[in-house]
Amino acid sequence: MSRTQLRTALADAAFWTGLAVFNLTLAVVFGGMSSGSTLISVLLSLELWAIGGAMRRIALRRHWFELGPVRLALRLLLCIGLGATLAQLLLIPVLRLALIQGWVSLPQSTGFRPAMLFVYWANTAFMLGLWAALWSWTMAMQRYREGEIARLNAESLRNAFELDALRARLNPHFVFNALNNLRALINEDTERARELVTRLSSTLRHALDHSQREQASLAEELAVVEDYLAVEAVHYEDRLRVQRDIDANALSARLPPMALQLLVENAVKHGIACTPGGGELSVRAHCENAALHIEVGNPGRIDPEPARRGVGLAYLRTRLAHGGNAGRFELKQRGNRVIAQLEIPQ
């Protein structure tokens, strides 16, 4: 038995024992204390303990707490009514037999008339309903706490991925190569060196600010990608050939910040850089069926190990899963090219 099950069993035992003691106390106060009252209090508490446990198992096994409050309440009310009826059907024959045999006695005011039987049933239903209400409240609070823990874990995971993505944006190799290329250009081509500084500055500034916004337009993301590709073009030269196919109607579409940048950087790092002679990096975007469709392609093969496909793609999947974008991301092998497809509903 787990600790949770043990705590639940002890709580049930305490509740029903307390209820039996309470009923006996009322009998003493109102002068109705008798051996029959003791038998009723003890036997009824044991019955309701068993019936309550059965209710709990059925509710958890059939996932009633996932049905919503109204459907849950209706099911619990039905179980309370049936449980109270079953408790009385089990209790009354035992009590009558004990009375006939003279084992116990009851006050003369106690009887088995239909009105009294209804009062007994209503009292039993009230006690079982009180237990069900307390248990339901406990379960609701437990599910709320678990939901909060899951939300905080998801937020923590998102923040961790954002930190990793930020580190990836400030990749030492990228900065090192850019600075080396800048040093070479200073004496050879001052104008191009100045442009490289501007592009590098824009790329790093956007990397530092990317987590501050929930969404950005495709036009804004393309501007960042152009800065990044301009910096990488100095390093890869003719090895990096870019083909663009952007529908003008898609420029105002919204997507998570850095999403396109992540795909392009992954294509350069795991495609162009790893392919002898480089290759063509394709960027396509259009809107269709109220969704933005983005496709980034590069030469190469999909790595069979997900962990080696880049932290950027893992971050993107997490952002789509927890950021409320309800988007879809897929990585495909198409011949000798790897195609990253991103779909963002608008």
Side-chain angles (χ1 to χ4, degrees), residues 8 18 38 41 43 65 67 101 110-111 113 148 160 172 193 195 197 209-210 278 291 305 327 331 342:
T8 301
T38 304
S41 298
L43 187 57
F65 284 88
L67 301 177
Q101 296 295 328
T110 304
R113 299 185 305 275
E148 282 296 295
E195 180 186 357
V197 171
D209 296 339
H210 84 283
E305 293 294 331
L331 201 62
L342 180 63

Side-chain angles (χ1 to χ4, degrees), residues 129-337:
L130 179 61
W131 173 87
L134 291 174
W135 175 67
S136 300
W137 178 82
T138 302
M139 285 295 299
M141 293 302 298
Q142 179 181 339
R143 289 172 63 85
Y144 172 78
R145 287 194 298 270
E146 291 174 352
E148 282 296 295
I149 292 173
R151 183 186 65 80
L152 292 175
N153 286 338
E155 187 69 21
S156 176
L157 180 62
R158 174 181 172 180
N159 291 337
F161 271 120
E162 287 186 347
L163 179 58
D164 288 340
L166 179 57
R167 289 170 178 166
R169 302 286 75 72
L170 300 177
N171 190 317
H173 295 289
F174 169 71
V175 177
F176 177 77
N177 291 335
L179 292 177
N180 270 343
N181 294 327
L182 175 62
R183 184 179 62 180
L185 286 174
I186 287 176
N187 294 326
E188 296 178 6
D189 191 338
T190 306
E191 186 62 31
R192 194 178 180 192
R194 186 181 298 112
E195 180 186 357
L196 179 60
V197 171
T198 301
R199 298 277 195 174
L200 180 60
S201 175
S202 297
T203 301
L204 298 182
R205 182 179 66 252
H206 190 83
L208 293 171
D209 296 339
H210 84 283
S211 63
Q212 304 302 315
R213 303 169 60 188
E214 287 298 325
Q215 287 189 327
S217 68
L218 178 61
E220 292 172 322
E221 291 299 293
L222 284 171
V224 177
V225 168
E226 289 301 326
D227 287 333
Y228 170 78
L229 289 175
V231 175
E232 292 288 43
V234 176
H235 176 68
Y236 290 101
E237 297 181 336
D238 293 339
R239 294 181 60 202
L240 176 59
R241 300 179 293 278
V242 183
Q243 182 188 55
R244 303 166 181 83
D245 182 11
I246 309 298
D247 188 345
N249 295 326
L251 293 177
S252 60
R254 314 294 291 182
L255 71 161
M258 301 300 288
L260 180 57
Q261 164 71 11
L262 289 169
L263 297 182
V264 171
E265 181 178 350
N266 198 74
V268 172
K269 182 178 178 181
H270 297 278
I272 304 300
C274 300
T275 303
E280 181 181 273
L281 187 152
S282 59
V283 180
R284 296 182 173 87
H286 69 281
C287 283
E288 183 180 352
N289 298 326
L292 172 64
H293 298 264
I294 295 176
E295 183 179 289
V296 176
N298 60 269
R301 311 290 300 181
I302 297 178
D303 197 307
E305 293 294 331
R308 294 201 297 262
R309 295 175 190 171
V311 67
L313 299 186
Y315 164 72
L316 179 59
R317 287 191 175 94
T318 303
R319 186 72 183 263
L320 294 175
H322 300 107
N325 300 99
R328 183 179 64 87
F329 171 72
E330 191 173 2
L331 201 62
K332 294 182 176 180
Q333 186 72 50
R334 188 179 296 169
N336 62 350
R337 292 181 63 80

